[in-house]
Amino acid sequence: MYPVTYEADYQRDRNRLTTFFRIIVVIPWLIVAIVYWIAAYVVVAIAWFALLILGRYPKGMYNFVGGVLRFSMKVSGFLSLQTDAWPGFGLSDDSDYPIRVRIAEPAAKQSRLKVFFRLILLIPAFVISIFMQYAIQYIVVISWLTIVFRGYQPAAVHNALAYILGYSTRFTAYALYMRDEYPPFRLDVGGSETPAPPVGAPVAAAR
């Protein structure tokens, strides 16, 4: 299993009103995300030098960057209609929230060579990420229309969103030098593919 995972609980019946205005109501969280990412980019730049010199990610920096990643994926999941629950503004893990990003402890040692050439190594995963970003736009539209006009989200749509957001989480962690392990493309990197959940049943998806 990859050291960074994304999980989203499935809920069939959804709020039509907040879904209809989702792009508007999410604005405060997007503003906060921009502020967090400005700080995170500065920390990542410093961490890059630390990785080359020390061969490891300083834990304080790692936890902060991981917190920003966690917050951003919660906001992305909320914006992408994975949940109707309002995300918090903090960076810490919240096991009660329907979207959870689990991040393993920093590796005791990382490859200086992989860190130095990360931008080159990132190219194949970046290409896949671009295709996924195009795909999620169409899936979100389908989800939005279904929820607004029928009041529910199909399990298959939820799983598709969770898969793309799960890959985006792993890809971003790799791009931020948090892991040396290449982000896998599979839905469940720990075993067989996760089947679609029964309609109305909760599920933790897209590791």
Side-chain angles (χ1 to χ4, degrees), residues 3-8 66-75 91-95 97-104 165-166 169-170 173 178:
V4 178
T5 64
Y6 172 95
E7 302 172 348
V68 174
L69 173 60
R70 180 183 294 113
F71 173 81
S72 298
M73 295 316 301
K74 287 181 181 180
V75 175
L91 303 181
S92 60
D93 188 20
D94 181 4
S95 59
Y97 191 71
I99 295 174
R100 296 167 297 279
V101 175
R102 310 294 191 190
I103 302 174
L165 291 170
T169 303
R170 298 190 295 269
M178 297 182 68

Short mmCIF file of all heavy atoms in Angstrom, two decimals, residues 3-8 66-75 91-95 97-104 165-166 169-170 173 178:
data_model
loop_
_atom_site.label_atom_id
_atom_site.label_comp_id
_atom_site.label_asym_id
_atom_site.label_seq_id
_atom_site.Cartn_x
_atom_site.Cartn_y
_atom_site.Cartn_z
N PRO A 3 2.28 4.87 0.87
CA PRO A 3 2.32 5.54 2.18
C PRO A 3 1.38 6.74 2.32
O PRO A 3 1.21 7.26 3.43
CB PRO A 3 3.78 5.99 2.30
CG PRO A 3 4.53 5.14 1.34
CD PRO A 3 3.60 4.89 0.22
N VAL A 4 0.80 7.20 1.22
CA VAL A 4 -0.17 8.30 1.27
C VAL A 4 -1.46 7.82 0.63
O VAL A 4 -1.46 7.38 -0.52
CB VAL A 4 0.37 9.54 0.52
CG1 VAL A 4 -0.67 10.67 0.55
CG2 VAL A 4 1.68 10.02 1.13
N THR A 5 -2.57 7.88 1.37
CA THR A 5 -3.84 7.38 0.85
C THR A 5 -4.94 8.42 0.97
O THR A 5 -4.89 9.31 1.82
CB THR A 5 -4.29 6.12 1.61
OG1 THR A 5 -4.54 6.44 2.98
CG2 THR A 5 -3.23 5.03 1.54
N TYR A 6 -5.92 8.27 0.09
CA TYR A 6 -7.11 9.13 0.09
C TYR A 6 -8.33 8.23 0.25
O TYR A 6 -8.49 7.24 -0.47
CB TYR A 6 -7.19 9.89 -1.23
CG TYR A 6 -8.46 10.68 -1.46
CD1 TYR A 6 -8.54 12.03 -1.14
CD2 TYR A 6 -9.59 10.08 -2.02
CE1 TYR A 6 -9.70 12.76 -1.36
CE2 TYR A 6 -10.75 10.80 -2.24
CZ TYR A 6 -10.79 12.14 -1.90
OH TYR A 6 -11.96 12.85 -2.12
N GLU A 7 -9.19 8.56 1.21
CA GLU A 7 -10.41 7.79 1.45
C GLU A 7 -11.61 8.72 1.45
O GLU A 7 -11.54 9.84 1.98
CB GLU A 7 -10.33 7.07 2.81
CG GLU A 7 -9.15 6.12 2.95
CD GLU A 7 -9.02 5.59 4.35
OE1 GLU A 7 -9.72 6.13 5.26
OE2 GLU A 7 -8.24 4.65 4.57
N ALA A 8 -12.71 8.25 0.89
CA ALA A 8 -13.93 9.05 0.87
C ALA A 8 -15.13 8.15 1.12
O ALA A 8 -15.33 7.16 0.42
CB ALA A 8 -14.08 9.78 -0.47
N GLY A 66 2.48 17.97 4.53
CA GLY A 66 1.45 16.94 4.53
C GLY A 66 0.10 17.49 4.97
O GLY A 66 -0.94 17.11 4.44
N GLY A 67 0.11 18.40 5.93
CA GLY A 67 -1.14 19.02 6.38
C GLY A 67 -1.78 19.86 5.29
O GLY A 67 -3.00 19.85 5.12
N VAL A 68 -0.95 20.59 4.54
CA VAL A 68 -1.48 21.39 3.43
C VAL A 68 -2.06 20.48 2.35
O VAL A 68 -3.13 20.75 1.79
CB VAL A 68 -0.37 22.29 2.83
CG1 VAL A 68 -0.88 23.01 1.58
CG2 VAL A 68 0.10 23.31 3.86
N LEU A 69 -1.37 19.37 2.07
CA LEU A 69 -1.88 18.39 1.11
C LEU A 69 -3.21 17.83 1.59
O LEU A 69 -4.17 17.71 0.82
CB LEU A 69 -0.87 17.27 0.91
CG LEU A 69 -1.32 16.08 0.05
CD1 LEU A 69 -1.69 16.54 -1.36
CD2 LEU A 69 -0.24 15.01 0.01
N ARG A 70 -3.29 17.48 2.87
CA ARG A 70 -4.52 16.93 3.44
C ARG A 70 -5.67 17.93 3.32
O ARG A 70 -6.78 17.58 2.88
CB ARG A 70 -4.28 16.56 4.90
CG ARG A 70 -5.51 15.97 5.60
CD ARG A 70 -5.23 15.70 7.06
NE ARG A 70 -4.23 14.66 7.22
CZ ARG A 70 -3.00 14.86 7.71
NH1 ARG A 70 -2.62 16.08 8.08
NH2 ARG A 70 -2.16 13.87 7.84
N PHE A 71 -5.41 19.19 3.69
CA PHE A 71 -6.45 20.22 3.60
C PHE A 71 -6.90 20.41 2.15
O PHE A 71 -8.10 20.49 1.87
CB PHE A 71 -5.90 21.54 4.15
CG PHE A 71 -6.82 22.71 3.95
CD1 PHE A 71 -7.88 22.93 4.80
CD2 PHE A 71 -6.61 23.59 2.90
CE1 PHE A 71 -8.74 24.02 4.62
CE2 PHE A 71 -7.46 24.67 2.70
CZ PHE A 71 -8.53 24.89 3.57
N SER A 72 -5.95 20.45 1.24
CA SER A 72 -6.27 20.69 -0.17
C SER A 72 -7.12 19.57 -0.75
O SER A 72 -8.06 19.83 -1.53
CB SER A 72 -4.98 20.83 -0.98
OG SER A 72 -4.24 21.95 -0.54
N MET A 73 -6.83 18.33 -0.37
CA MET A 73 -7.60 17.22 -0.91
C MET A 73 -9.00 17.17 -0.31
O MET A 73 -9.96 16.74 -0.97
CB MET A 73 -6.86 15.91 -0.68
CG MET A 73 -5.54 15.80 -1.44
SD MET A 73 -5.62 16.36 -3.17
CE MET A 73 -6.88 15.28 -3.87
N LYS A 74 -9.15 17.62 0.93
CA LYS A 74 -10.49 17.73 1.50
C LYS A 74 -11.31 18.76 0.74
O LYS A 74 -12.48 18.55 0.42
CB LYS A 74 -10.40 18.11 2.98
CG LYS A 74 -9.94 17.00 3.90
CD LYS A 74 -9.92 17.50 5.34
CE LYS A 74 -9.45 16.43 6.30
NZ LYS A 74 -9.44 16.92 7.71
N VAL A 75 -10.67 19.90 0.45
CA VAL A 75 -11.35 20.94 -0.31
C VAL A 75 -11.66 20.46 -1.73
O VAL A 75 -12.75 20.70 -2.26
CB VAL A 75 -10.50 22.23 -0.34
CG1 VAL A 75 -11.16 23.29 -1.23
CG2 VAL A 75 -10.32 22.79 1.06
N LEU A 91 -5.11 21.83 9.49
CA LEU A 91 -4.24 20.94 8.72
C LEU A 91 -4.14 19.54 9.32
O LEU A 91 -3.58 18.65 8.70
CB LEU A 91 -2.82 21.53 8.62
CG LEU A 91 -2.70 22.93 8.01
CD1 LEU A 91 -1.24 23.36 7.97
CD2 LEU A 91 -3.31 22.98 6.62
N SER A 92 -4.69 19.36 10.51
CA SER A 92 -4.55 18.07 11.18
C SER A 92 -5.53 17.03 10.63
O SER A 92 -6.52 17.37 9.98
CB SER A 92 -4.77 18.23 12.69
OG SER A 92 -6.06 18.74 12.95
N ASP A 93 -5.24 15.78 10.93
CA ASP A 93 -6.10 14.69 10.50
C ASP A 93 -7.40 14.70 11.29
O ASP A 93 -7.40 14.94 12.50
CB ASP A 93 -5.36 13.35 10.69
CG ASP A 93 -6.12 12.19 10.08
OD1 ASP A 93 -6.98 12.43 9.20
OD2 ASP A 93 -5.85 11.04 10.47
N ASP A 94 -8.52 14.46 10.62
CA ASP A 94 -9.82 14.42 11.26
C ASP A 94 -10.52 13.13 10.84
O ASP A 94 -11.06 13.03 9.75
CB ASP A 94 -10.65 15.64 10.87
CG ASP A 94 -12.02 15.66 11.55
OD1 ASP A 94 -12.29 14.77 12.37
OD2 ASP A 94 -12.82 16.58 11.26
N SER A 95 -10.47 12.13 11.72
CA SER A 95 -11.01 10.81 11.37
C SER A 95 -12.53 10.82 11.24
O SER A 95 -13.11 9.89 10.67
CB SER A 95 -10.60 9.78 12.43
OG SER A 95 -11.08 10.16 13.72
N TYR A 97 -14.26 13.20 9.63
CA TYR A 97 -14.67 13.83 8.36
C TYR A 97 -14.78 12.74 7.27
O TYR A 97 -13.97 11.80 7.26
CB TYR A 97 -13.66 14.89 7.94
CG TYR A 97 -14.14 15.76 6.79
CD1 TYR A 97 -15.17 16.68 6.98
CD2 TYR A 97 -13.59 15.63 5.52
CE1 TYR A 97 -15.64 17.45 5.93
CE2 TYR A 97 -14.04 16.41 4.47
CZ TYR A 97 -15.08 17.32 4.68
OH TYR A 97 -15.54 18.08 3.63
N PRO A 98 -15.75 12.85 6.37
CA PRO A 98 -15.96 11.80 5.36
C PRO A 98 -14.80 11.61 4.38
O PRO A 98 -14.71 10.58 3.72
CB PRO A 98 -17.22 12.28 4.62
CG PRO A 98 -17.90 13.21 5.57
CD PRO A 98 -16.80 13.88 6.33
N ILE A 99 -13.93 12.63 4.26
CA ILE A 99 -12.74 12.51 3.40
C ILE A 99 -11.51 12.53 4.28
O ILE A 99 -11.34 13.42 5.10
CB ILE A 99 -12.69 13.65 2.37
CG1 ILE A 99 -13.86 13.57 1.41
CG2 ILE A 99 -11.36 13.62 1.61
CD1 ILE A 99 -13.96 14.74 0.46
N ARG A 100 -10.67 11.52 4.12
CA ARG A 100 -9.48 11.40 4.96
C ARG A 100 -8.25 11.15 4.10
O ARG A 100 -8.28 10.32 3.20
CB ARG A 100 -9.64 10.26 5.96
CG ARG A 100 -10.77 10.49 6.97
CD ARG A 100 -11.11 9.24 7.73
NE ARG A 100 -11.61 8.18 6.85
CZ ARG A 100 -12.86 8.11 6.41
NH1 ARG A 100 -13.74 9.03 6.77
NH2 ARG A 100 -13.23 7.14 5.62
N VAL A 101 -7.19 11.87 4.41
CA VAL A 101 -5.90 11.66 3.76
C VAL A 101 -4.93 11.15 4.82
O VAL A 101 -4.63 11.86 5.79
CB VAL A 101 -5.36 12.96 3.13
CG1 VAL A 101 -3.95 12.74 2.58
CG2 VAL A 101 -6.30 13.43 2.02
N ARG A 102 -4.50 9.92 4.66
CA ARG A 102 -3.57 9.30 5.61
C ARG A 102 -2.16 9.43 5.07
O ARG A 102 -1.89 9.07 3.92
CB ARG A 102 -3.91 7.82 5.81
CG ARG A 102 -5.37 7.55 6.13
CD ARG A 102 -5.81 8.09 7.46
NE ARG A 102 -7.11 7.59 7.85
CZ ARG A 102 -7.82 8.03 8.87
NH1 ARG A 102 -7.34 9.01 9.62
NH2 ARG A 102 -9.00 7.53 9.17
N ILE A 103 -1.27 9.91 5.90
CA ILE A 103 0.12 10.12 5.48
C ILE A 103 1.04 9.42 6.47
O ILE A 103 0.99 9.69 7.67
CB ILE A 103 0.46 11.62 5.41
CG1 ILE A 103 -0.49 12.34 4.43
CG2 ILE A 103 1.92 11.84 5.01
CD1 ILE A 103 -0.33 13.84 4.42
N ALA A 104 1.87 8.52 5.96
CA ALA A 104 2.80 7.79 6.80
C ALA A 104 3.89 8.72 7.33
O ALA A 104 4.08 9.84 6.83
CB ALA A 104 3.43 6.64 6.01
N LEU A 165 -9.09 11.44 -7.46
CA LEU A 165 -8.58 12.24 -6.35
C LEU A 165 -7.53 11.47 -5.55
O LEU A 165 -6.60 12.06 -5.00
CB LEU A 165 -9.73 12.68 -5.46
CG LEU A 165 -10.68 13.71 -6.10
CD1 LEU A 165 -11.93 13.90 -5.24
CD2 LEU A 165 -9.98 15.05 -6.30
N GLY A 166 -7.68 10.16 -5.48
CA GLY A 166 -6.68 9.34 -4.81
C GLY A 166 -5.35 9.38 -5.54
O GLY A 166 -4.29 9.52 -4.92
N THR A 169 -3.72 12.72 -5.03
CA THR A 169 -3.09 12.82 -3.71
C THR A 169 -1.71 12.20 -3.72
O THR A 169 -0.73 12.80 -3.24
CB THR A 169 -3.96 12.12 -2.65
OG1 THR A 169 -5.27 12.70 -2.66
CG2 THR A 169 -3.36 12.27 -1.26
N ARG A 170 -1.59 11.00 -4.28
CA ARG A 170 -0.29 10.31 -4.34
C ARG A 170 0.69 11.07 -5.23
O ARG A 170 1.87 11.23 -4.90
CB ARG A 170 -0.49 8.89 -4.86
CG ARG A 170 -1.36 8.02 -3.97
CD ARG A 170 -1.34 6.56 -4.39
NE ARG A 170 -1.92 6.33 -5.71
CZ ARG A 170 -3.20 6.06 -5.93
NH1 ARG A 170 -4.04 6.00 -4.91
NH2 ARG A 170 -3.63 5.84 -7.15
N ALA A 173 1.96 14.21 -3.42
CA ALA A 173 2.92 13.86 -2.37
C ALA A 173 4.29 13.55 -2.97
O ALA A 173 5.33 13.95 -2.43
CB ALA A 173 2.40 12.67 -1.57
N MET A 178 7.78 14.20 -0.75
CA MET A 178 7.43 13.52 0.50
C MET A 178 7.73 12.03 0.46
O MET A 178 7.95 11.41 1.50
CB MET A 178 5.95 13.76 0.84
CG MET A 178 5.59 15.21 1.08
SD MET A 178 3.84 15.42 1.51
CE MET A 178 3.81 14.64 3.12
#
